[in-house]
Amino acid sequence: METIVIQSKHRPPSDDSLSRLLALSKDIDEVENLTMWFGIENESGEVYRIVGVDGVADYVKILKQLRDAGYWIESLEAEVPGALHAVVKAKGKIQAR
């Protein structure tokens, strides 16, 4: 698993606890060589972090871990290579359908 933070977006205070939960050690410059990607939203609804995972099994395991920790997961149809497969919404945020 690798991660990149979008520098122009606000990094919320909850990012430190999220980083510990996922055992993210350091940010990299790109996540191009990984199989699946998901974005993490800040409280304003902007994706500020992208996480790349190598393999469907790890992807599912990580999203379950996030869901169990109270995050809301929005699955996306990744129709082109490099597209996000999901967006992780801020903890406790009420989601409208």
Side-chain angles (χ1 to χ4, degrees):
M1 175 172 37
E2 296 177 351
T3 185
I4 185 170
V5 173
I6 301 170
Q7 296 301 317
S8 62
K9 304 296 180 187
H10 169 69
R11 191 182 220 173
S14 61
D15 188 62
D16 288 338
S17 63
L18 176 82
S19 294
R20 283 190 300 278
L21 175 69
L22 297 180
L24 301 174
S25 57
K26 69 176 193 172
D27 301 335
I28 60 165
D29 293 329
E30 59 184 67
V31 289
E32 292 181 20
N33 295 325
L34 297 173
T35 306
M36 303 190 80
W37 298 267
F38 61 91
I40 309 284
E41 282 188 356
N42 60 24
E43 60 277 338
S44 300
E46 300 176 309
V47 173
Y48 75 92
R49 177 185 288 282
I50 298 172
V51 179
V53 180
D54 191 22
V56 176
D58 285 341
Y59 172 81
V60 170
K61 177 183 168 187
I62 290 166
L63 290 186
K64 180 182 180 330
Q65 184 179 14
L66 287 164
R67 190 174 287 120
D68 291 348
Y71 290 89
W72 191 84
I73 311 297
E74 177 184 355
S75 294
L76 304 172
E77 295 292 328
E79 297 177 2
V80 296
L84 295 177
H85 293 85
V87 174
V88 176
K89 307 285 185 171
K91 272 178 94 165
K93 186 176 177 181
I94 297 174
Q95 304 300 322
R97 281 253 174 213

